[in-house]
């Protein structure tokens, strides 16, 4: 390509990326904007990119006068527990699927795929029916159990692909060097799969953090509500407290952002691992 | 150090049989090379000795002790992998000391062992590097170092040089041989490269399709291949093979295509009229002008290797390869005379493939 042509192509390329980024981030921007807009300006100023006056009243209200801190704590407990339990289970399961042949493997993989095929809405009633006599409705542990169950299959496949990317030779070398298979797994394979585990942890955490459907159906009391359910409490029969709702939303973004900030170093490696032979 | 006894060892994956009963005894301190084409079962056999594959039937003993049921870690062997299998998250020192750390060896002893091995392999300046920051040859040496620090009963090598370029391979081949002469360790080395097998081995085990074809010293296999497979596999350029019929007349001869009769050194132990294959190595084919008893051949390809020249010619409707150290012996299109000295002829039974003279 000639120089001006290449320039045009570059500009077009960057412009397309810019369009996408603006499109993807605009709702977040709007969230932030509404959260700092005083109630009296919300409808009176028309559509403006930034209000003429900003206040933090909504944040103050959400943090001090609503149940939001409780929802937030519940969400933290549920999401972190789910993420860690799923990652541990998926690592062990993914390793087995990657390295061993065992009876029934084909059917187990098939069943795990099957669980991913149905819309979750269909399963809510039966799950409620199962959990209710066990006393697991309206409890965080019940929610964790359900989230773990629904995230393990996908996470296992994800972890399996990371283990597949690590040559078998490495653990064989370790076993010849004098390690048991489990020691080889722990000392050689796990450290190399950290990026994959971080990626899994991140995916599951966000999935659990923003899950609404089950949380809404299985939890009825305020004590065990997670924050997506809590957000709905800002919608009353007669009005929607947009300002407070958005403030709560902004606060809810923080842990997810922090979480990804901490794991992003591994995540980038993790998502590209296996793409090229190391 | 220890001897290794392999008795009627078999391997099958379901109905697919990989090894059909291998018997082999490797003496203490011996360097044995398993050689054969890919898929012949040589790597499987090595992995069974290491404990990485189950033994379907038969028995393997290391140092007189049956190891069939032992985990790799309890067999006290060291292995060098084709991929080197260095632990990417450990330094060179970490890689080399891993096995000793697992055995809870005292720190001073570990330090001494790895510095000794590092010196032997000229790795001393690289000890704090990660494998990623090493060249192929250096990685190879770290893999060797990891094996020797342990002073194991035996060393197993699984095509350790296959990932190196030709020059480095030749260099490392020499290093491995020197190391073996220094340490005197029982070693089993798997390769598909017959030059590696020839240069390294005390004894070569040639394998094909899960069966041991011949066991012997490198020159044994080269000079007296036991069957057509070994004859064809060992040597480059490969041996010329011509099918024909054995004739008892005139003290034994072979009738080749177009009625050409090649005399033998003596009678062979087979009946008149048996289908046989006559083999002769290219370097033993004599090429000249008007040789007594020579066959007319037309040169259709000349390959100079610098070291010598490979002449491809066509005689009695067959391709005949000759290798000569002389240059400018013939040009493409020349008609020359080729002859097969009787003492250099190998004779095989075509049906069974076995050597008969």
């Amino acid at each position: 390509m000639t120089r001006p042509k290449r320039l045009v192509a570059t500009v077009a390329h960057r412009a397309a990326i810019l369009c996408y980024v603006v499109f993807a981030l605009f709702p977040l921007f709007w969230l932030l904007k509404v959260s700092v807009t005083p109630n009296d300006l919300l409808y009176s100023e028309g559509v403006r990119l930034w209000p003429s006056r900003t206040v933090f009243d909504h944040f103050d209200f959400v943090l001090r006068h609503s149940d939001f801190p409780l929802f937030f704590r519940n969400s933290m407990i549920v999401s972190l527990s789910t993420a860690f339990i799923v990652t541990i289970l998926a690592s062990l399961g993914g390793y087995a699927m990657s390295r061993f042949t065992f009876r029934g493997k084909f059917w187990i993989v098939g069943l795990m795929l099957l669980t991913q095929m149905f819309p979750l809405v269909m399963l809510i009633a039966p799950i409620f029916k199962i959990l209710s006599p066990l006393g697991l409705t309206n409890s965080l542990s019940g929610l964790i159990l359900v989230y773990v169950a629904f995230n393990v299959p996908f996470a296992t496949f994800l972890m399996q692909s990371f283990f597949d990317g690590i040559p078998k030779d490495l653990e064989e070398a370790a076993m010849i060097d004098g390690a048991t298979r489990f020691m080889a797994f722990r000392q050689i394979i796990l450290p190399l799969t950290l990026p994959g585990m971080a990626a899994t942890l991140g995916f599951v955490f966000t999935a659990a953090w923003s899950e609404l459907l089950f949380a809404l159906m299985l939890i009825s009391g305020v004590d065990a509500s997670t924050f997506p359910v809590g957000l709905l409490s800002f919608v009353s029969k007669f009005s929607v407290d947009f300002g407070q709702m958005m403030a709560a939303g902004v606060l809810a973004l923080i842990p997810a952002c922090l979480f990804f900030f901490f794991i992003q170093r591994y995540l980038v490696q993790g998502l590209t691992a296996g793409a090229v032979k190391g | 150090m220890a001897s290794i006894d392999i008795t009627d060892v078999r391997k099958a994956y379901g109905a697919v049989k990989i090894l059909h009963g291998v018997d082999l005894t490797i003496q203490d301190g011996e360097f044995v090379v398993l050689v054969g084409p890919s898929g012949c079962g040589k790597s499987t056999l090595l992995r069974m000795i290491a404990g990485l594959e189950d033994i379907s039937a038969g028995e393997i003993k290391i140092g007189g002790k049956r190891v069939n049921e032992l985990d790799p870690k309890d067999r006290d062997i060291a292995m060098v992998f084709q991929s080197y299998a260095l632990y990417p998250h450990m330094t060179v020192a970490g890689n080399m000391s891993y096995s000793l750390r697992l055995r809870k060896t005292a720190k001073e002893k570990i330090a001494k062992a790895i510095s000794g091995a590092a010196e032997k392999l000229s790795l001393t300046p690289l000890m704090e590097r990660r494998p990623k920051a090493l060249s192929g040859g250096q990685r190879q040496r770290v893999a060797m170092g990891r094996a020797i620090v342990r002073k194991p009963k035996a060393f197993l090598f699984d095509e350790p040089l296959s990932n190196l370029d030709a020059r480095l391979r030749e260099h490392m081949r020499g290093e491995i041989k020197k190391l073996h002469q220094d340490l005197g360790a029982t070693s089993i080395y798997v390769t598909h490269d017959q030059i590696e097998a020839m240069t390294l081995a005390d004894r070569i085990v040639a394998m094909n399709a899960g069966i041991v074809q011949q066991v012997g010293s490198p020159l044994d296999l080269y000079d007296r291949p036991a069957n057509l497979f070994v004859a064809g596999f060992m040597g480059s350029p490969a041996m010329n093979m011509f099918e024909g019929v054995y004739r008892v007349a005139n003290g034994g001869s072979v009738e080749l295509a177009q009625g050409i009769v090649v005399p033998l050194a003596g009678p062979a132990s087979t009946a008149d009229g048996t289908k046989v294959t006559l083999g002769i190595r290219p370097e033993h084919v004599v090429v000249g002008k008007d040789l007594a008893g020579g066959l007319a051949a037309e040169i259709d390809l000349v390959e100079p290797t610098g070291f010598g020249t490979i002449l491809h010619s066509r005689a009695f409707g067959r391709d005949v390869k000759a290798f000569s150290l002389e240059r400018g012996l013939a040009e493409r299109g020349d008609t020359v005379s080729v002859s097969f000295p009787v003492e250099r002829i190998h004779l095989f039974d075509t049906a069974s493939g076995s050597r008969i003279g």
Side-chain angles (χ1 to χ4, degrees):
Chain A
M1 263 197 284
T2 57
R3 232 189 113 133
K5 257 193 180 168
R6 206 180 320 156
L7 192 70
V8 170
T10 311
V11 170
H13 178 218
R14 298 291 147 83
I17 291 177
L18 188 71
C19 280
Y20 169 74
V21 170
V22 168
F23 184 76
L25 291 184
F26 189 74
L28 287 181
F29 166 71
W30 210 247
L31 186 78
L32 190 69
K33 183 229 157 187
V34 175
S35 73
V36 297
T37 306
N39 272 338
D40 53 324
L41 293 186
L42 196 54
Y43 298 107
S44 59
E45 284 200 313
V47 180
R48 286 177 61 143
L49 272 186
W50 200 248
S52 53
R53 187 160 53 85
T54 58
V55 289
F56 289 93
D57 295 355
H58 302 310
F59 289 95
D60 183 63
F61 180 86
V62 164
L63 287 174
R64 286 207 289 177
H65 303 292
S66 75
D67 287 323
F68 192 79
L70 177 67
F71 302 153
F72 195 83
R73 191 200 63 144
N74 288 343
S75 266
M76 271 312 233
I77 293 173
V78 170
S79 305
L80 282 178
S81 313
T82 306
F84 280 99
I85 295 172
V86 167
T87 305
I88 290 168
L89 290 179
S91 303
L92 297 172
Y95 182 75
M97 306 251 273
S98 165
R99 292 299 198 257
F100 304 134
T101 47
F102 46 88
R103 200 174 305 168
K105 183 178 179 180
F106 176 82
W107 294 106
I108 290 175
V109 173
L111 274 177
M112 283 170 58
L113 271 178
L114 199 71
T115 61
Q116 303 292 294
M117 287 177 189
F118 301 103
L120 294 182
V121 191
M122 286 170 55
L123 302 172
I124 287 191
I127 284 189
F128 189 84
K129 199 80 185 140
I130 295 169
L131 293 190
S132 166
L134 298 172
L136 287 173
T137 52
N138 228 352
S139 87
L140 293 183
S141 13
L143 209 53
I144 293 171
L145 186 73
V146 173
Y147 287 173
V148 167
F150 280 97
N151 279 300
V152 155
F154 176 73
T156 304
F157 290 131
L158 193 66
M159 285 309 297
Q160 182 194 350
S161 68
F162 287 115
F163 287 121
D164 285 346
I166 295 175
K168 253 184 161 172
D169 286 2
L170 285 183
E171 70 227 71
E172 290 182 347
M175 289 195 288
I176 285 177
D177 269 350
T180 60
R181 185 172 271 280
F182 188 72
M183 279 157 83
F185 174 71
R186 205 165 48 86
Q187 297 176 345
I188 307 296
I189 306 301
L190 268 196
L192 298 175
T193 329
L194 279 182
M197 294 178 75
T200 309
L201 213 58
F203 280 129
V204 179
F205 180 84
T206 20
W209 185 255
S210 55
E211 207 283 337
L212 175 62
L213 195 60
F214 279 100
L216 197 59
M217 296 299 164
L218 297 179
I219 308 284
S220 49
V222 171
D223 286 353
S225 282
T226 57
F227 100 86
V229 181
L231 278 188
L232 289 179
S233 68
F234 294 101
V235 184
S236 65
K237 204 165 183 181
F238 304 107
S239 70
V240 180
D241 261 318
F242 276 115
Q244 290 166 14
M245 197 174 171
M246 298 298 174
V250 170
L251 292 174
L253 276 177
I254 294 171
C257 288
L258 281 181
F259 196 80
F260 271 87
F261 177 76
F262 285 124
I263 64 168
Q264 57 91 17
R265 192 161 66 94
Y266 299 103
L267 198 60
V268 176
Q269 284 178 40
L271 293 176
T272 54
V276 280
K277 266 195 162 173
Chain B
M1 297 301 141
S3 61
I4 297 174
D5 298 284
I6 299 166
T7 316
D8 194 29
V9 160
R10 289 160 193 274
K11 178 73 187 176
Y13 294 101
V16 185
K17 295 203 167 92
I18 308 289
L19 290 177
H20 305 267
V22 173
D23 290 285
L24 190 63
T25 298
I26 294 149
Q27 305 298 333
D28 189 6
E30 197 177 19
F31 199 115
V32 166
V33 175
L34 306 180
V35 70
S38 27
C40 72
K42 56 190 191 299
S43 281
T44 308
L45 181 60
L46 191 79
R47 291 170 58 83
M48 285 161 86
I49 298 168
L52 298 173
E53 299 278 350
D54 292 332
I55 299 163
S56 305
E59 187 178 63
I60 295 180
K61 284 185 184 170
I62 299 178
K65 188 175 151 211
R66 178 182 159 99
V67 297
N68 284 35
E69 290 78 24
L70 287 186
D71 283 336
K73 71 180 175 68
D74 300 320
R75 297 193 184 193
D76 195 16
I77 34 97
M79 184 155 165
V80 178
F81 291 80
Q82 179 177 356
S83 65
Y84 318 134
L86 300 181
Y87 313 128
H89 57 303
M90 295 183 190
T91 60
V92 169
N95 265 281
M96 285 169 61
S97 62
Y98 183 63
S99 61
L100 299 177
R101 281 183 284 142
L102 284 175
R103 283 176 178 70
K104 308 249 187 294
T105 312
K107 276 215 170 90
E108 312 81 67
K109 264 191 168 171
I110 295 182
K112 213 175 137 200
I114 64 172
S115 69
E119 206 158 304
K120 203 167 266 168
L121 295 161
S122 8
L123 286 170
T124 312
L126 307 173
M127 293 308 272
E128 292 313 314
R129 291 222 198 146
R130 294 278 166 94
K132 202 168 58 182
L134 300 177
S135 69
Q138 290 167 340
R139 287 179 200 183
Q140 170 64 49
R141 287 212 297 274
V142 176
M144 304 273 298
R146 197 168 63 178
I148 64 173
V149 288
R150 281 197 23 214
K151 304 202 169 27
K153 284 190 185 140
F155 289 108
L156 308 179
F157 298 88
D158 190 3
E159 310 217 10
L161 305 183
S162 298
N163 286 358
L164 300 177
D165 63 55
R167 175 184 289 268
L168 205 50
R169 195 173 332 168
E170 202 179 295
H171 175 74
M172 287 309 297
R173 206 168 69 201
E175 301 267 304
I176 290 178
K177 185 144 191 173
K178 259 189 245 156
L179 206 61
H180 178 252
Q181 284 165 355
D182 278 2
L183 302 173
T186 310
S187 305
I188 307 181
Y189 187 107
V190 161
T191 180
H192 60 263
D193 180 346
Q194 44 107 11
I195 303 277
E196 262 172 43
M198 292 292 292
T199 50
L200 284 170
D202 291 328
R203 265 196 313 157
I204 294 181
V205 178
M207 293 180 67
N208 189 33
I211 294 169
V212 172
Q213 304 288 327
Q214 188 173 4
V215 182
S217 75
L219 292 180
D220 261 359
L221 264 72
Y222 194 81
D223 293 339
R224 287 191 63 82
N227 54 39
L228 281 171
F229 169 78
V230 178
F233 192 78
M234 304 301 291
S236 170
M239 185 187 277
N240 293 294
M241 310 247 195
F242 309 112
E243 288 187 10
V245 175
Y246 179 70
R247 295 290 174 217
V248 176
N250 307 324
S253 60
V254 178
E255 189 183 329
L256 299 175
Q258 298 179 358
I260 301 279
V261 174
V262 178
L264 297 174
S269 53
T270 191
D272 188 80
T274 313
K275 282 196 173 149
V276 294
T277 300
L278 181 151
I280 181 150
R281 295 205 178 273
E283 65 267 34
H284 296 148
V285 173
V286 180
V287 179
K289 297 247 180 283
D290 308 317
L291 295 171
L295 309 166
E298 190 181 338
I299 305 288
D300 37 44
L301 182 65
V302 179
E303 290 181 304
T305 66
F307 173 62
T309 310
I310 304 168
L311 299 167
H312 297 252
S313 66
R314 192 90 185 143
F316 54 94
R318 297 282 181 276
D319 289 321
V320 179
K321 266 176 300 177
F323 177 82
S324 169
L325 289 175
E326 256 178 81
R327 294 179 181 180
L329 212 54
E331 295 293 324
R332 180 167 182 249
D334 286 357
T335 302
V336 293
S337 166
V338 295
S339 78
F340 307 149
V342 286
E343 71 281 6
R344 298 296 199 181
I345 287 176
H346 307 266
L347 197 65
F348 304 95
D349 182 288
T350 304
S352 69
S354 322
R355 179 182 194 90
I356 49 176

